[in-house]
Amino acid sequence: MEPCLHVLVRYEIFRDTEKEFRKALDAWKKKDYKQAVHHSAEALEGMLRVLVKEILPARHSASLQTNASVDILNQKKLWAPQHGEIMKKLHALRGDRGAHSEATKPEEGRASEKDAEATVYLSASMLVLIARAYEDHLRTTPSTS
């Protein structure tokens, strides 16, 4: 988790993502697996939205969800298309395991420890990937100052 947290605190624009990801870590630590899944995927969604705002501001919307952000950012070839698919699958996992009332889900449909662990780790990896794509963008974009 350290590389992920390190890149999140490096840039002011990722502060909200850092807070959301820390919620995921806290929930995981407290064995609240549903919330760990939810917050880790929320962190990913928020960071993608920030990247759209920074790189393609005309396409930004405060309501962008993961899938739409990935589709928009894939146009810039910031990562392999398969990485975008992983991000979309994490979004789907959040909807399946990290959202809605547990009371209406059968036991096997609820977030488990392994769901939380995988989602937190995968989200952390994707957050690092997104941060590296942002850094590449900063290096390759001419400064206007």
Side-chain angles (χ1 to χ4, degrees):
M1 297 303 141
E2 194 172 319
C4 177
L5 294 171
H6 182 72
V7 296
L8 293 177
V9 299
R10 184 179 307 153
Y11 300 100
E12 182 64 34
I13 62 169
F14 298 143
R15 294 293 183 211
D16 289 338
T17 300
E18 178 210 354
K19 289 176 189 173
E20 193 69 35
F21 192 68
R22 286 187 186 276
K23 288 180 188 177
L25 294 173
D26 188 50
W28 185 25
K29 180 180 171 185
K30 292 178 179 175
K31 299 185 186 299
D32 186 347
Y33 303 130
K34 175 186 167 188
Q35 289 302 311
V37 168
H38 175 77
H39 288 296
S40 58
E42 279 287 309
L44 180 66
E45 184 170 81
M47 192 162 178
L48 286 164
R49 196 176 300 124
V50 167
L51 211 63
V52 171
K53 184 177 183 179
E54 291 295 312
I55 294 177
L56 294 163
R59 304 286 309 273
H60 177 260
S61 164
S63 63
L64 277 176
Q65 292 188 345
T66 299
N67 293 357
S69 293
V70 167
D71 289 342
I72 291 166
L73 292 167
N74 276 345
Q75 297 170 11
K76 297 296 279 182
K77 300 189 184 330
L78 301 169
W79 45 69
Q82 295 88 343
H83 290 128
E85 291 305 311
I86 292 169
M87 293 177 212
K88 289 180 178 185
K89 295 295 184 187
L90 285 167
H91 177 76
L93 188 62
R94 180 191 72 189
D96 185 45
R97 303 285 183 173
H100 311 299
S101 172
E102 295 283 80
T104 60
K105 289 183 182 177
E107 188 70 33
E108 64 274 4
R110 296 177 186 178
S112 68
E113 181 177 9
K114 67 183 173 201
D115 292 322
E117 182 176 46
T119 305
V120 169
Y121 275 114
L122 286 168
S123 294
S125 295
M126 293 297 103
L127 293 171
V128 171
L129 176 77
I130 295 165
R132 300 293 183 236
Y134 176 68
E135 291 170 344
D136 289 347
H137 171 75
L138 291 177
R139 277 193 295 278
T140 60
T141 304
S143 176
T144 56
S145 53

